[in-house]
Amino acid sequence: MSYSEAQPVRISSEPAQLQALEPVLEKVRAAVGDVPTLLTLAEDIGRTAPKPGEGNTAKLWELLASVTAVDVAAGRVLEPHLDALAILAQAGAQAGVQAGTDGEHEGTWGVFAAEGPGMKLEAKRAANGGYVLNGSKPWCSLAGHLDGAVITAHTEENTRAAFAVDLKHQGVTAEAPAWTSRGLKEIPSGTVHFDHVEARPVKQGSWYFERPGFAWGGMGVAACWLGGAVAVARDYADALTKAAANGREADQIALASLGEIDRILATTTGYLAQTAERIDAGDLEGSDPDSPSPWPEALRIRGTVAAAVERVQTLVTQNLGPGPLAFDEAYGKRMADLGLYIRQHHAMRDDAQLGALALKGDRRW
């Protein structure tokens, strides 16, 4: 097993259409582990990548899944950059405009919206009518490498609002975390401290959380998880093929596991394709009483993909045993990266939220 494969992940496109992704995926494959190069690629990809809800949502998700299938960490680099560009576009902002700059440098972006105990980032109005940020924000991936970020902060109106921030501002200090995890080791997520940092509001109030793009972005993360699961499944199929070439044909247990994996991935990709089509048709905007909220669908998508990932990982590790985990660098890295990445899913807490919505009648069964 290696990073030699740069095979796209199909959600709804025809195979011939997916071939257009192959040159980009080859560049990703060559840059595995090289964060500055991956960020440069993300910036390049961002100039032409589709945005959710604009007619090519499935193609966006195929891009995210395909990059993550090459390398999970590469998908983890690309997804927040594209999400930030989409947020700024949804707000009507220019993607290249950072707080405190002349707007000519597009740069690389992140999205920092996590909260942590004992930490609070506050946004207050400055004398010039703008905003300044003070406080700390946890889980800021690659903050020391990025140019800008869409970041949430607590306002004087007791809301959490989004702001565009120049991460090169002298008042920004990114901690170097003691990252002990084997997973995503090249993408540590640490705390960032802000001291009178100028910030530009991205719309007002709680728009960031209320817009349909918030749910769409969460589904984009799930597309990355799916790409990781597809890569693990391909590792398994390749291992069975190699074993058969060496005279060890797959037994019924190995074949049953591969069949279950095939069934899981087929139904999951089909669900994403259907949901992307609904997004592009305007069925999941929640903008009027007749349009369903996209958030329950985001919870369903994320929960379905997370369960698929975990099941695929379990089936593959049970069948391949400890050998590749111990001795195969690419496989071991993929498993560790994906295992940590999938923990962004809130598991039973998200299901509890979905269950509450279903109990109120927000269900299709």
Side-chain angles (χ1 to χ4, degrees):
M1 301 172 198
S2 69
Y3 299 107
S4 61
E5 291 293 326
Q7 183 181 352
V9 174
R10 181 179 182 274
I11 292 176
S12 66
S13 295
E14 294 301 320
Q17 294 174 310
L18 289 174
Q19 290 178 357
L21 289 176
E22 292 177 2
V24 171
L25 301 182
E26 284 294 345
K27 292 179 181 178
V28 171
R29 181 200 57 76
V32 170
D34 183 350
V35 169
T37 300
L38 289 174
L39 285 169
T40 298
L41 285 172
E43 187 175 358
D44 290 342
I45 292 169
R47 294 189 178 99
T48 58
K51 292 181 175 61
E54 295 186 356
N56 288 298
T57 301
K59 288 184 171 57
L60 168 64
W61 291 352
E62 285 172 338
L63 170 64
L64 291 170
S66 298
V67 168
T68 310
V70 175
D71 177 51
V72 174
R76 185 68 183 81
V77 170
L78 178 62
E79 184 278 325
H81 176 70
L82 296 187
D83 190 32
L85 297 185
I87 292 165
L88 294 170
Q90 289 158 11
Q94 293 295 319
V97 178
Q98 299 178 28
T101 73
D102 58 13
E104 293 181 356
H105 178 55
E106 292 182 357
T108 52
W109 287 75
V111 180
F112 304 149
E115 298 284 308
M119 295 184 194
K120 189 175 184 179
L121 183 63
E122 295 181 316
K124 294 186 177 181
R125 286 195 177 274
N128 63 4
Y131 284 85
V132 293
L133 301 184
N134 287 284
S136 300
K137 196 72 168 173
W139 294 102
C140 297
S141 302
L142 296 178
H145 295 268
L146 300 174
D147 297 297
V150 174
I151 187 167
T152 59
H154 296 264
T155 70
E156 294 168 294
E157 292 78 29
N158 294 318
T159 63
R160 281 176 66 201
F163 298 85
V165 181
D166 177 10
L167 292 176
K168 303 302 183 185
H169 189 285
Q170 62 181 3
V172 176
T173 304
E175 286 186 6
W179 195 260
T180 61
S181 173
R182 163 76 161 113
L184 299 174
K185 64 180 181 180
E186 66 267 57
I187 311 179
S189 297
T191 299
V192 177
H193 306 284
F194 297 82
D195 184 11
H196 289 85
V197 176
E198 297 173 359
R200 175 170 53 84
V202 181
K203 290 284 191 179
Q204 296 289 339
S206 55
W207 171 86
Y208 171 83
F209 297 101
E210 294 173 349
R211 66 196 165 89
F214 183 68
W216 301 344
M219 297 184 212
V221 173
C224 292
W225 299 340
L226 173 66
V230 169
V232 171
R234 289 172 178 170
D235 287 340
Y236 180 51
D238 289 346
L240 295 184
T241 300
K242 183 178 179 180
N246 291 327
R248 297 196 318 275
E249 294 290 340
D251 62 16
Q252 288 292 91
I253 299 298
L255 291 174
S257 296
L258 185 59
E260 182 178 348
I261 289 169
D262 178 78
R263 177 164 47 80
I264 289 169
L265 294 179
T267 54
T268 305
T269 53
Y271 185 19
L272 263 69
Q274 178 191 64
T275 305
E277 190 173 302
R278 292 181 66 204
I279 289 173
D280 291 334
D283 293 341
L284 290 174
E285 292 187 352
S287 55
D288 59 67
D290 295 327
S291 177
S293 167
W295 187 240
E297 205 62 61
L299 292 171
R300 295 182 192 109
I301 285 281
R302 287 169 64 88
T304 297
V305 175
V309 169
E310 291 175 338
R311 183 57 180 162
V312 168
Q313 284 190 298
T314 296
L315 288 167
V316 172
T317 54
Q318 284 179 344
N319 278 274
L320 295 187
L325 286 172
F327 301 112
D328 189 302
E329 170 61 25
Y331 172 85
K333 181 180 188 302
R334 191 176 348 267
M335 281 294 197
D337 287 348
L338 187 57
L340 183 58
Y341 197 3
I342 199 68
R343 291 278 59 84
Q344 284 191 2
H345 181 238
H346 300 137
M348 292 184 71
R349 288 180 174 82
D350 276 1
D351 277 347
Q353 187 178 355
L354 183 59
L357 292 169
L359 195 60
K360 292 178 180 179
D362 195 341
R363 58 182 187 262
R364 290 190 289 165
W365 43 272

